[in-house]
Amino acid sequence: MVPMDEKSFSQAVALLSGEHSLAILRYLAPGEWRIASDVSRALHIHTTTASKFLGGMHALGFLDRRPRRAHTRSAFEYRIAAPRIALALDLTEGPAPLRQALDFYLDYVSHVLARGRRLGWPAIAEKLEARLDRDGSGSRDGLFERIVRGGDARGMEELRSVFHGIHDEFLQITSASVGTETARRLLAGAADEARKGREQVVDRYGLRKVLEA
């Protein structure tokens, strides 16, 4: 049995917990090829309900599927792939995605600088850039090479620590010019923009939390 990732596991649980799921599986248990309308007629359920379940279970690998050979409109036939259905969830962390984490943090920095300029605060942007230049934190390749030397777990911990410190200094710099509440909104907005498209990595490894004042 191949363990599922979290998304596939959640989809399987949702499908199998449906009102008609077990009845449909029992109907398919003999192993014969069936189309959605067969299931609908046999169990007195809507064809759309049967079709969604069959398609979803096929996508997860629990049902075989083939085009139906007929002169009428085309349809897919399904049969159960194995008489036993079991779910296995892989909870191991695996290697920490350091490159994706670094990209998130550097995008956060870029969004902070861009927001400062866009809002007409060039002095703030200059101070923030000076902070980054002080230790080379804005250099993607240099910082990545330094972080990965610590290994996956230690590297991720160090990366969070580095940008937690940068965030704190960003907050101090911007607060001195525009006030603490405005500064917090500016930094939070930049973090939200950087999170888009990489939500799973950011949330799983707590990358966003270190950017919260």
Side-chain angles (χ1 to χ4, degrees), residues 22-31 34-35 38-39 42-43:
L22 292 180
I24 295 174
L25 290 174
R26 290 194 186 99
Y27 177 71
L28 296 174
R34 300 292 187 182
I35 61 174
D38 293 334
V39 177
L43 302 179

Side-chain angles (χ1 to χ4, degrees), residues 37-103:
S37 58
D38 293 334
V39 177
S40 174
R41 284 192 298 270
L43 302 179
H44 306 289
I45 61 177
H46 199 282
T47 304
T48 301
T49 300
S51 181
K52 286 183 177 179
F53 179 82
L54 295 172
M57 290 296 282
H58 166 71
L60 292 169
F62 295 117
L63 299 180
D64 296 325
R65 186 177 76 176
R66 71 181 184 186
R68 184 183 190 185
R69 295 180 176 86
H71 296 295
T72 58
R73 65 179 184 176
S74 61
F76 285 114
E77 293 180 312
Y78 299 86
R79 72 177 179 186
I80 201 158
R84 178 186 293 270
I85 291 178
L87 305 182
L89 174 61
D90 186 358
L91 292 174
T92 58
E93 286 289 331
L98 293 177
R99 176 67 74 175
Q100 295 95 313
L102 178 59
D103 287 344

Side-chain angles (χ1 to χ4, degrees), residues 94-99 143-160 205:
L98 293 177
R99 176 67 74 175
L143 182 58
F144 182 72
E145 292 302 324
R146 177 162 63 88
I147 293 295
V148 297
R149 284 198 293 269
D152 291 325
R154 287 178 54 197
M156 184 66 80
E157 182 179 351
E158 182 180 355
L159 190 60
R160 285 192 293 253
Y205 292 93

Side-chain angles (χ1 to χ4, degrees), residues 97-162:
L98 293 177
R99 176 67 74 175
Q100 295 95 313
L102 178 59
D103 287 344
F104 162 70
Y105 284 127
L106 292 180
D107 279 354
Y108 160 71
V109 170
S110 297
H111 285 303
V112 171
L113 297 177
R115 280 171 170 251
R117 296 189 187 96
R118 189 167 63 244
L119 295 172
W121 301 326
I124 293 179
E126 290 173 4
K127 290 179 181 178
L128 297 176
E129 288 176 332
R131 162 62 185 87
L132 296 174
D133 291 340
R134 195 168 69 231
D135 61 3
S137 298
S139 171
R140 183 183 303 265
D141 292 334
L143 182 58
F144 182 72
E145 292 302 324
R146 177 162 63 88
I147 293 295
V148 297
R149 284 198 293 269
D152 291 325
R154 287 178 54 197
M156 184 66 80
E157 182 179 351
E158 182 180 355
L159 190 60
R160 285 192 293 253
S161 177
V162 166

Side-chain angles (χ1 to χ4, degrees), residues 124 127-128 131 134 164-180 183-184 187 213:
I124 293 179
K127 290 179 181 178
L128 297 176
R131 162 62 185 87
R134 195 168 69 231
H164 176 67
I166 290 173
H167 169 76
D168 283 348
E169 291 192 46
F170 276 11
L171 181 60
Q172 293 175 19
I173 292 170
T174 52
S175 295
S177 299
V178 300
T180 302
R184 284 176 175 164
L187 298 181

